[in-house]
Amino acid sequence: MATIDDVARLAGVSTATVSRALRGLREVSGPTRTRVLEAAARLGYVASPSASRLAGGKTRSIAVVVPRITRWFFATAVEAVERTLHEAGYDLLLYNLGGREGARRRLVHQAASLHKRVDAMMLMATPLQPEDIDVVAGLPLPGITVSSGTPVTGWPSVRIDDVAAAATATRHLLALGHRRIAHISGDPTDELPFTTHLDRRAGYELALREAGLEPDPARYAEAPFTIAGGSHATTELLGRGMPPTAIFAACDEMAMGAMAVLRQTGLRVPEDVSVVGIDDHDAAAAVGLTTVAQPAAEQGRLAARTLLEPLCLGTELVPTTTVLPTMLVIRQSTSVPRAREGER
Amino acid sequence: MATIDDVARLAGVSTATVSRALRGLREVSGPTRTRVLEAAARLGYVASPSASRLAGGKTRSIAVVVPRITRWFFATAVEAVERTLHEAGYDLLLYNLGGREGARRRLVHQAASLHKRVDAMMLMATPLQPEDIDVVAGLPLPGITVSSGTPVTGWPSVRIDDVAAAATATRHLLALGHRRIAHISGDPTDELPFTTHLDRRAGYELALREAGLEPDPARYAEAPFTIAGGSHATTELLGRGMPPTAIFAACDEMAMGAMAVLRQTGLRVPEDVSVVGIDDHDAAAAVGLTTVAQPAAEQGRLAARTLLEPLCLGTELVPTTTVLPTMLVIRQSTSVPRAREGER
DNA sequence: CTGAAAGCGCTTACAG
DNA sequence: CTGAAAGCGCTTACAG
């Protein structure tokens, strides 16, 4: 393995000059730089990250924490983050809580250790206890939160307005004439106290009340934010009798699960039951799902850039909250309710 | 930030002893160890990874390369890998090729640099050019390949038998009496030369020939391994006229896309068209999809353990190929073809 | 623009 | 079982 000394010797300069030339610092003359680059190339030299981290104090890597990498939103956002980071020469350390409270605790516990291995951290929809927030905010490390989840004092945040997105979805159903609108969301079995479903439920109830309807707990069912979760919640809902004419699912994965169960039960979508979700999942167009689109990749990209800027430019990280727009995308899973059709 | 010197001073021992005590080496007496641990705890001391990597030569991190983290198989496998690695105290550096040839090239190009930042690497379904294989195999770094993708000389491998899995799916349809069996797979638009679809197509053709049928190119359509891809391929297939009585999709995501399009076209599943996939995706049960199940998390876990063992125990990495079993799971998306039904 | 030298914070023979 | 000391391979004031 070639070291910086080998390159210095071959190029006939000091290691300081090699270091400067290779990093593109401009206090190096053209000819010298050329000699160094040639020597480095000849030896196949690559600086040791451990050594430069120790000497330079920068790790050029970022920790990204997600609840579950298997869910569409996080996988899509992480993909964008990964690309942005690697293009900037940064490494991505992945931490997947996997819905385990133990993993969350370990993460907070390790915070002190984490800050020695990364230059910044990105928390996606990560729930934190009040005492954790202080620990995390107290790290000598810039950070950002993405999507809902606990805000961290002094950290910027990139997200959508979950209450508004949910209200938009619900208002769409109301405008079509639906009154018996169910909502599937949340995850009672989850060890971690996520908050996304709370905001979305609030938006649903807000829209109902605007329309003069009182939210009915019997029209609410909980399950994980997955296709299977949507199926379970819908099955539970149907089991209560008096089926809804429409279902607002807190995310597209749940909406797809709902559509599957409805059809297996012999109910047509949208003729018998309309379904709307939130996300604009890759598959939403394929299955004809009406949804409130949110820019997942864009949130990841933006968050990564926000973190990278102060790291690369040495500027201050400004704790701004960026709320990205959502948009209703009407496809084939929603229509006027049957009763209403009859009226015409 | 407390350093090892602070701890040594507070505990009244040398830094060498602190280092040994904290890492649990047993050449430290009980009382001394206790004093060191107390001092470290009091100071909130955590060893600097950069320093111990430089001094010790081990990074305690592993690079995991996936084609697309957004696809079910990779997200599920990575989740298992992440858990296994973190439980062993290893960090996971994520590299997502994102279907970009440039990313693959950069990865191989960076190989020399990569080996200085990780102790091992895991390549999931990563296609390599013949010349790349030598580069990768030549790294002074243990590695493992997971799922199909180019084998690397001297590296172990964890996978399923893709040809057999595809044959199982196809034979299931043949046994039900289907003769017009279409296959959707592959991805002509992908920049990267993946191989999974080739194996699965081979298994499909193998099973057809066993049954005395000649594979018909008109019954084959290509698209990405996603729900949307499955929809596109199925739409293309249907556009050719003479619809098949059954579709074998190369993965469950494609199968779900196929089911969506069939239903939108007014065709019932399975009454008019049977659909079978490969994976046993989280959502397969919810949508009633018959599939050949493969253990995605298990492959990730096993691959991580295989890599960890030699790293932790200092033993040799044995280049074994582990082929995990697959299993046909019959649900509601397959049945006897209509013509056959009439015969009864 | 370039170099000599200190220092980053650990681990590891080596000696006792 | 413990310590003094060298060394891992860089970066960065400082001086010129």
Side-chain angles (χ1 to χ4, degrees), chain A residues 209-231:
Chain A
R209 293 211 170 89
E210 276 173 5
L213 298 174
E214 194 52 33
D216 177 357
R219 299 217 178 285
Y220 184 72
E222 298 180 319
F225 269 53
T226 60
I227 297 187
S231 296

Side-chain angles (χ1 to χ4, degrees), chain B residues 218-302:
Chain B
R219 300 217 177 285
Y220 184 73
E222 298 179 320
F225 268 53
T226 61
I227 296 186
S231 296
H232 293 148
T234 304
T235 302
E236 187 190 329
L237 218 47
L238 296 177
R240 294 183 194 155
M242 180 71 160
T245 64
I247 296 179
F248 160 44
C251 70
D252 282 359
E253 283 146 310
M254 295 192 84
M256 290 189 263
M259 288 170 77
V261 162
L262 290 170
R263 286 179 172 143
Q264 282 161 15
T265 314
L267 292 166
R268 289 165 305 163
V269 177
E271 292 82 352
D272 299 315
V273 182
S274 286
V275 176
V276 61
I278 290 184
D279 273 347
D280 203 17
H281 188 288
D282 280 337
V287 304
L289 175 65
T290 295
T291 189
V292 177
Q294 72 163 319
E298 182 58 27
Q299 287 176 74
R301 195 177 308 125
L302 189 58

Side-chain angles (χ1 to χ4, degrees), chain B residues 9 17 77 106 120 122 127 167 181 187-188 190-191 198 239 264 266 311:
Chain B
R9 210 169 304 127
T17 300
R106 197 188 323 149
M122 186 183 296
I181 302 174
D187 184 357
D190 207 312
E191 291 179 28
L198 299 178
Q264 282 161 15
L311 293 179

